[in-house]
Amino acid sequence: MLGACGEVGGAGGGVPHGLHPGLTGFRPSNPGRGRSDSTLRSVDVGQSRCSGCAAQCANMLTSPTFDSSVGLQTLPAGSPLLRRGVTLDEVLHVEAGRVALGLTEGDELVHQLGVVQGPFWLEATAAVLGLPSAVDARAESAVTVRRVPLRVFEAHLSAMPAPARAVLLDVARAHRQQTELAVSRLAKDAEARCAEWLLRHAEPVGEPGSMAVLLRERKRIIAAQLGIAPETFSRVLRHLREQSLISGSGRVVNLVDPNGLRSLAGV
């Protein structure tokens, strides 16, 4: 999904290179720069600007002007802006200020994915896909936000030409997958990550209800996707076999106990 103008500085790492964890899609153009308020322009895709079909998609997007007097609010530092797992009924455009993205426990942001600087759309991927927020967001400084009702945001998307909308959805899905992987790296240990990966890549085989994973890539590549060493990946697979959660060797991994893997993965 399209990212915002803003810096990303992960505390503690774990964010794949190029990932902008707070998908911020499109933002209203600046009339002071000779562009109409009715035009939405594209901004960074991850760490690069307006590249490829994402830029073409953004250039095709037009919408009515957001009412500049509606939904504008100033919030102090520390204010929660998004809750992970909560379905959105509005989309926030941060006009100014810094927002930290990550995972919270209680009122504390304990795992930080990065920091973004307004102006940007906050977690627009979730709104585009109709999904709950993938991250928690907390104001790192005082912020000015515009609260756009979800139905208004969706109306703007519906006004896009069909090819542009299809590109937007494809990029949004890819961004969501990257964000979920980054969150998984922060929140879960190696065994939980591996269990989740196995469940995500499982395919039906043989008897009804039987599932298996065909390792189409080298283990070192899979390990890199999970943010662990290849030796750790091999050790975790061996441990899962010892627990009778999986079986098999070589390039085929049979899921003996999918429910046990779900419990381990926390899904």
Side-chain angles (χ1 to χ4, degrees):
M1 183 55 187
L2 305 180
C5 285
E7 62 181 291
V8 179
V15 184
H17 179 71
L19 171 64
H20 196 303
L23 161 71
T24 54
F26 301 101
R27 61 178 181 175
S29 59
N30 186 341
R33 296 183 182 177
R35 304 214 24 198
S36 168
D37 273 350
S38 65
T39 301
L40 298 181
R41 66 183 178 85
S42 67
V43 289
D44 296 350
V45 181
Q47 294 180 346
S48 63
R49 286 182 179 276
C50 304
S51 61
C53 58
Q56 298 173 24
C57 169
N59 290 335
M60 294 168 66
L61 178 68
T62 59
S63 74
T65 305
F66 288 120
D67 185 340
S68 60
S69 66
V70 174
L72 200 61
Q73 185 179 16
T74 299
L75 300 170
S79 298
L81 301 177
L82 287 177
R83 290 289 187 185
R84 182 183 177 212
V86 175
T87 302
L88 309 175
D89 58 6
E90 60 184 8
V91 188
L92 299 184
H93 183 264
V94 178
E95 306 276 324
R98 293 169 62 86
V99 176
L101 306 168
L103 305 179
T104 61
E105 291 182 6
D107 293 329
E108 182 181 359
L109 192 70
V110 294
H111 298 293
Q112 184 169 301
L113 280 169
V115 175
V116 286
Q117 176 78 45
F120 62 90
W121 289 104
L122 183 58
E123 199 18 356
T125 289
V128 170
L129 298 177
L131 296 173
S133 175
V135 296
D136 296 309
R138 187 173 297 275
E140 192 173 72
S141 68
V143 295
T144 301
V145 299
R146 189 179 308 283
R147 298 182 179 274
V148 179
L150 183 60
R151 58 179 175 76
V152 175
F153 186 85
E154 290 174 337
H156 290 184
L157 298 181
S158 298
M160 294 174 64
R165 194 163 58 248
V167 171
L168 184 66
L169 287 171
D170 283 346
V171 181
R173 293 186 188 103
H175 178 271
R176 178 71 177 209
Q177 186 175 14
Q178 284 188 318
T179 302
E180 289 176 346
L181 177 59
V183 169
S184 175
R185 289 182 177 185
L186 285 179
K188 297 179 179 179
D189 61 20
E191 284 196 358
R193 294 180 212 170
C194 290
E196 184 177 27
W197 187 91
L198 289 169
L199 290 167
R200 184 180 298 137
H201 291 83
E203 303 173 11
V205 293
E207 299 179 0
S210 297
M211 303 289 288
V213 176
L214 175 60
L215 302 180
R216 296 182 173 87
E217 298 176 305
R218 295 181 180 275
K219 287 184 178 180
R220 63 177 177 81
I221 295 177
I222 297 172
Q225 295 173 6
L226 295 170
I228 58 179
E231 297 80 6
T232 301
F233 183 57
S234 296
R235 176 179 56 77
V236 168
L237 291 179
R238 183 171 63 252
H239 192 202
L240 295 179
R241 290 189 190 96
E242 292 171 353
Q243 297 180 76
S244 298
L245 295 174
I246 63 173
S247 66
S249 59
R251 304 190 68 82
V252 178
V253 178
N254 299 300
L255 274 57
V256 177
D257 185 0
N259 287 332
L261 289 171
R262 291 188 188 96
S263 178
L264 179 60
V267 298

